[in-house]
């Protein structure tokens, strides 16, 4: 199931189970249109900090009632990697696209009320909470999924050679966390999830996000058409950007990940300058949207706890976020799938375990998707 120096600083110190995936031009099949957005903890910072000055009990209870949480610790028990004792934290961040409610009209595909994960990131917060490394996990990576128990007590058997995102589809948040921990041998201290419709509304509430494209993007599948240049994307356009695969790069999910990573940096770069802290209505709108959108682990399942956690991340600037993709190679047997490069990935997991920078050698030569540099902050 696997394919196959001196460390360079990565951050401290420097800067579906279904659906076709494609390696190269000329080998593409039209994909099902159910990509989704992504979650980044900084969004919550802008939306939730309102409580620090609100002082209204009604507002607190309303926002607190919006939050959804899952008890990961109870579902997974004690058979997990040990918590780090070096001051660092690992957060599993998922984007989900439940087919229920508002996501029906956004996601395409089936309307069966089921949920899928398409975006998965391990966010490692270094000691001191001033720098972070983000490792994206391609959804079409073939892995051995461990047996797991979901948060409702349902038991799910292990599976061999399945797509990474089958973990969430099979057993929800708890199985996704256990699968990531089995791959990395790293404890996930927290879990954050945002849904498809919520992503779009968050961007609209923020007033859009400014990005620059070095190439024109025209992808009817994701409903996105942009000329090369600087744009302020509204929620619909932002959703199209993080969904697009055929618009840029080699048409693979890996290229889409590169666009997502660039968009996150643009978002974090802008979030302090969009006027949310001087505009009470915008701040309240963000708080309402964020609390309705996010699902957390039970340790972050109240507004006070989430606000405290998010507030502690405000010092992490885009220049102090090192973003990589888990090292993979295209599967020789199926160009729509990728295989984990275990030895290279082990360099990443070891670095994060020790709260050290990710070495450049860990990702050198990995399949990339060829979309790097297409999108950036202006």
């Amino acid at each position: 199931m696997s394919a196959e120096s001196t460390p360079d600083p990565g951050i401290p110190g420097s800067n579906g189970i279904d659906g076709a995936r494609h390696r190269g031009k000329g080998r593409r099949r039209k994909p099902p249109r159910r990509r989704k957005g992504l979650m980044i903890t900084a969004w919550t910072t802008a939306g939730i900090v309102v409580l620090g000055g609100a002082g209204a009990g009604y507002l607190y209870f309303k926002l607190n009632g919006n939050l959804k949480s899952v008890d990961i610790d109870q579902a997974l028990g004690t058979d997990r990697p040990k918590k780090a004792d070096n001051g660092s934290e690992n957060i599993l961040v998922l984007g989900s696209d439940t087919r229920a409610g508002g996501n029906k009209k956004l996601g395409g595909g089936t309307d069966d009320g089921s949920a899928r994960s398409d975006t998965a990131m391990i966010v490692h917060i270094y000691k001191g909470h001033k720098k972070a490394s983000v490792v994206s996990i391609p959804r079409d990576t073939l892995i051995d999924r461990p047996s797991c128990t979901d948060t409702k007590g349902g038991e799910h058997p292990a599976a061999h050679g399945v797509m990474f995102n089958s973990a969430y589809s099979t057993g929800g948040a708890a199985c996704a966390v256990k699968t990531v921990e089995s791959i990395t041998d790293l404890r996930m201290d927290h879990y954050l999830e945002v849904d498809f419709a919520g992503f779009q509304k968050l961007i609209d509430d923020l007033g859009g996000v400014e990005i620059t494209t070095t190439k024109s993007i025209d992808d009817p599948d994701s409903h996105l058409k942009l000329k090369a240049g600087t744009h302020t994307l509204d929620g619909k356009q932002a959703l199209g950007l993080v969904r697009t695969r055929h618009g840029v790069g080699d048409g693979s999910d890996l290229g889409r990940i590169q666009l997502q990573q660039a968009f996150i940096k643009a978002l974090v770069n802008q979030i302090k300058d969009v006027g949310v802290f001087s505009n009470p209505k915008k701040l309240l709108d963000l708080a309402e949207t964020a609390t309705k959108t996010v699902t957390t682990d039970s340790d972050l399942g109240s507004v006070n706890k989430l606000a405290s956690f998010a507030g502690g991340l405000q010092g992490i600037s885009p220049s102090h976020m090192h973003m990589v993709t888990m090292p993979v190679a295209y599967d020789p047997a199926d160009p729509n799938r990728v295989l984990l490069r275990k030895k290279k990935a082990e360099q990443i997991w070891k670095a994060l375990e020790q709260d050290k920078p990710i070495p450049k050698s860990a990702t050198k030569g990995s399949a990339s998707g060829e979309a790097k540099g297409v999108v950036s902050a202006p």
Side-chain angles (χ1 to χ4, degrees):
M1 290 303 303
S2 64
E4 269 303 52
S5 97
T6 302
D8 295 312
I11 253 301
S14 84
N15 105 295
I17 48 178
D18 49 14
R21 299 295 177 272
H22 306 269
R23 171 173 58 179
K25 298 176 180 178
R27 304 194 68 172
R28 301 173 182 168
R29 296 192 301 268
K30 186 175 181 179
R33 299 187 309 168
R34 58 169 192 279
R35 307 295 176 257
K36 86 266 352 75
L38 62 164
M39 171 61 188
I40 180 168
T41 53
W43 295 354
T44 316
T45 305
I48 304 300
V49 167
V50 63
L51 292 172
Y58 169 76
L59 177 62
Y60 171 83
F61 285 112
K62 180 181 180 183
L63 297 183
N64 208 57
N66 289 342
L67 283 173
K68 300 178 292 293
S69 64
V70 289
D71 195 339
I72 302 293
D73 289 339
Q74 182 177 11
L76 298 188
T78 59
D79 186 19
R80 302 177 65 187
K82 292 182 179 180
K83 286 181 177 288
D85 59 0
N86 53 20
S88 67
E89 289 185 290
N90 296 310
I91 304 113
L92 177 61
V93 178
L94 290 186
S96 68
D97 66 338
T98 175
R99 297 271 65 78
N103 288 339
K104 288 184 180 181
K105 61 183 179 182
L106 296 175
T110 62
D111 292 337
D112 56 8
S114 61
R116 303 172 177 89
S117 75
D118 204 23
T119 301
M121 299 178 177
I122 299 170
V123 180
H124 178 83
I125 308 299
Y126 289 92
K127 180 181 179 179
H129 287 203
K130 297 297 182 184
K131 299 176 182 180
S133 284
V134 180
V135 184
S136 295
I137 303 177
R139 57 161 277 164
D140 45 2
T141 307
L142 296 179
I143 53 101
D144 292 336
R145 191 183 70 227
S147 60
C148 64
T149 302
D150 61 37
T151 55
K152 295 181 180 179
E155 297 182 359
H156 305 276
H160 175 73
V162 296
M163 286 175 65
F164 168 78
N165 72 330
S166 71
Y168 183 89
S169 300
T170 299
C175 287
V177 170
K178 185 164 185 179
T179 299
V180 170
E181 290 185 344
S182 74
I183 293 171
T184 65
D185 200 30
L186 296 172
R187 175 73 168 243
M188 295 298 110
D189 299 289
H190 294 298
Y191 173 83
L192 288 169
E193 178 186 331
V194 75
D195 71 25
F196 197 163
F199 169 82
Q200 180 168 321
K201 193 171 189 310
L202 276 170
I203 299 303
D204 284 334
D205 287 349
L206 281 167
V209 174
E210 191 172 355
I211 57 100
T212 297
T213 59
T214 59
K215 298 180 180 179
S216 295
I217 301 175
D218 188 356
D219 185 358
D221 290 326
S222 64
H223 309 290
L224 182 67
K225 188 172 184 178
L226 297 173
K227 293 182 179 180
T230 299
H231 309 270
T232 298
L233 303 185
D234 61 19
K236 184 177 180 180
Q237 291 172 314
L239 183 60
L241 179 68
V242 299
R243 291 172 62 196
T244 189
R245 289 182 16 248
H246 291 312
V248 292
D250 66 1
S252 73
D253 187 57
L254 299 176
R256 186 167 62 91
I257 285 174
Q258 290 182 328
L259 296 181
Q260 292 172 350
Q261 292 175 344
F263 181 81
I264 288 173
K265 285 202 169 186
L267 175 62
V268 176
N269 187 57
Q270 184 176 332
I271 201 165
K272 294 180 180 179
D273 300 318
V274 293
V276 293
F277 299 107
S278 60
N279 186 331
K281 183 181 184 304
K282 180 176 284 190
L283 201 51
L284 289 171
D285 287 344
L286 278 167
E288 181 77 2
T289 299
T291 50
K292 285 182 177 179
T293 296
V294 69
T295 299
T296 74
D297 63 279
S298 55
D299 284 346
L300 297 179
S302 75
V303 169
N304 280 342
K305 290 179 180 179
L306 190 57
S308 176
F309 172 76
L313 305 182
Q314 292 187 72
I316 302 176
S317 65
S319 63
H320 289 157
M321 292 177 64
H322 183 220
M323 307 190 79
V324 302
T325 301
M326 185 177 73
V328 294
Y330 294 107
D331 182 2
D334 185 350
N336 304 321
R337 303 289 178 261
V338 294
L339 304 174
L340 175 64
R341 300 186 68 176
K342 290 185 177 179
K343 289 184 179 180
K344 284 187 171 290
E346 188 59 34
Q347 296 181 53
I348 296 179
W349 315 142
K350 184 176 180 180
L352 299 187
E353 180 184 17
Q354 298 176 354
D355 202 34
K356 293 181 177 180
I358 295 174
K360 289 184 178 179
S361 59
T363 54
K364 185 177 181 180
S366 180
S368 66
E370 302 175 16
K372 188 172 183 179
V374 174
V375 172
S376 64

